[in-house]
């Protein structure tokens, strides 16, 4: 499962106690490793916390937050990149060398090599990640195409808060929020969830699926841009025989399952109607 917390900005009095509370609140997401880093910028501080459930590369070298070889960038990543071996092979052909067998290192080096948008377009998987470029002083928050992996955010005067769980975000903030009756009503009366980026509590939002949120973290924390790296493809009607449709669907299903079977731990299966 994994999970991560982050804050970038100017922490108020008592923040570190609330920060530690947030890590404990989310520890169930990562029983194998819990790691924290604090980085000082010119006027801001970066707090990073990660809770790891080890699936690929069980060694401590694959723990997060993970820094680039140069130390100029880092990533916290929840999820799994199914085609990580194919991407690794492509990067190796361009001269890149890897120290781990983790998909986290492949994701980090993909972003540093191609840029965030191009890297996301190459990924087959489910993810939420926070990537920080310490050279350009930018934060990139992203979710997979359908938003399988959560990523909650809260913008405030002191900085940007982000977390894999809303309750961890609340622990970091240590304050009460008013209810968002629109979202609550959609859930209670229409059984709808995630119809927007809004949460049950006003002010807390999610990073949009198939999107990248970009922040400047140099001096003042500022949301620069949001870009969409993927849209539903427009497929024109194509006349195909039943046998061809069946063969393509079967191959797609087999390929999908085979990619998801990549694991360094035993795999459990759940069938549900």
């Amino acid at each position: 499962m994994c999970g991560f917390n982050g804050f970038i900005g100017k922490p108020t009095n008592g923040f570190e106690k609330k920060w530690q509370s947030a890590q404990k609140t989310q520890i169930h997401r990562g029983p194998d490793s819990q790691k924290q880093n604090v980085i000082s910028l010119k006027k801001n501080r970066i707090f990073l916390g990660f809770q790891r459930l080890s699936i690929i590369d069980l060694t401590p070298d694959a723990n997060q937050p993970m820094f680039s070889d140069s130390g100029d960038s880092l990533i916290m990543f929840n999820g799994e990149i199914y085609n990580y071996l194919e991407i690794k092979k492509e990067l190796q052909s361009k001269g890149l060398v890897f120290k781990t067998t983790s998909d986290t290192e492949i994701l980090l080096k993909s972003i540093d090599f191609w840029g965030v948008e191009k890297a996301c377009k190459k990924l087959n998987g489910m993810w939420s990640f926070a990537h920080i470029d310490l050279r350009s002083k930018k934060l990139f928050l992203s979710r997979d195409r359908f938003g399988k992996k959560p990523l909650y955010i809260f913008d405030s005067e002191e900085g940007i808060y982000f977390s894999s769980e809303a309750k961890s975000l609340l622990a970091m903030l240590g304050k009460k929020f008013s209810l968002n009756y629109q979202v609550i009503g959609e859930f209670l009366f229409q059984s709808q969830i995630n119809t927007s980026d809004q949460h049950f509590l006003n002010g807390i939002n999610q990073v949009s699926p198939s999107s990248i949120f970009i922040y400047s973290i140099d001096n003042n924390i500022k949301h620069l841009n949001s870009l969409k790296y993927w849209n539903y493809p427009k497929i024109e009607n194509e006349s195909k025989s039943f046998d061809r449709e069946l063969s393509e669907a079967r191959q797609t299903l087999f390929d999908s399952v085979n990619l998801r079977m990549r694991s360094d731990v035993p795999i459990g299966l759940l069938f549900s109607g």
Side-chain angles (χ1 to χ4, degrees), residues 55 80 257-270:
I55 302 296
E80 187 173 350
V257 172
N258 284 333
L259 285 176
R260 285 159 177 76
M261 295 288 284
R262 291 171 170 173
S263 173
D264 293 335
V265 294
I267 295 174
L269 299 177
L270 171 66

Side-chain angles (χ1 to χ4, degrees), residues 32-33 35 50 52 54 58-66 104:
D32 297 317
S33 172
K35 188 177 176 183
F50 194 85
R52 186 184 181 201
S54 303
L58 311 184
T59 69
D61 291 338
N63 288 344
Q64 301 179 47
M66 181 179 286
T104 304

Side-chain angles (χ1 to χ4, degrees), residues 144-184:
D144 58 73
R145 288 168 176 78
F146 297 103
K148 291 183 180 180
K149 291 300 180 181
L151 184 50
Y152 296 92
I153 54 175
F154 179 75
D155 289 301
S156 70
E157 291 182 0
E158 59 266 20
I160 172 74
Y161 297 81
F162 51 92
S163 180
S164 296
E165 292 192 6
K167 62 183 179 182
S168 302
L169 204 63
L170 294 176
M172 268 193 283
L173 292 163
K175 64 179 182 179
K176 294 183 178 181
F177 289 79
S178 62
L179 297 176
N180 187 325
Y181 292 108
Q182 176 68 30
V183 176
I184 292 172

Side-chain angles (χ1 to χ4, degrees), residues 126-250:
M126 54 179 180
W127 71 83
S128 64
F129 68 71
H131 178 272
I132 298 176
D133 188 328
L134 295 171
R135 295 159 299 187
S136 65
K137 304 293 190 299
K138 288 182 180 178
L139 164 70
F140 301 89
L141 301 176
S142 176
R143 289 174 75 198
D144 58 73
R145 288 168 176 78
F146 297 103
K148 291 183 180 180
K149 291 300 180 181
L151 184 50
Y152 296 92
I153 54 175
F154 179 75
D155 289 301
S156 70
E157 291 182 0
E158 59 266 20
I160 172 74
Y161 297 81
F162 51 92
S163 180
S164 296
E165 292 192 6
K167 62 183 179 182
S168 302
L169 204 63
L170 294 176
M172 268 193 283
L173 292 163
K175 64 179 182 179
K176 294 183 178 181
F177 289 79
S178 62
L179 297 176
N180 187 325
Y181 292 108
Q182 176 68 30
V183 176
I184 292 172
E186 290 173 353
F187 175 69
L188 292 178
F189 301 116
Q190 302 177 45
S191 299
Q192 294 184 356
I193 58 173
N194 294 329
T195 58
S196 72
D197 295 336
Q198 298 179 28
H199 186 255
F200 293 115
L201 302 177
N202 282 312
I204 293 179
N205 296 289
Q206 296 190 71
V207 173
S208 306
S210 64
S211 296
I212 302 164
F213 285 13
I214 306 170
Y215 292 81
S216 169
I217 57 174
D218 190 17
N219 295 325
N220 295 324
I221 309 299
K222 183 179 180 181
H223 183 199
L224 298 175
N225 190 21
S226 298
L227 58 89
K228 207 167 180 67
Y229 61 83
W230 181 84
N231 286 294
Y232 287 96
K234 295 181 179 180
I235 301 176
E236 297 181 2
N237 291 331
E238 182 180 352
S239 179
K240 296 181 182 179
S241 68
F242 175 78
D243 287 343
R244 182 181 172 187
E245 293 275 17
L246 182 64
S247 176
E248 289 182 0
R250 183 176 187 274

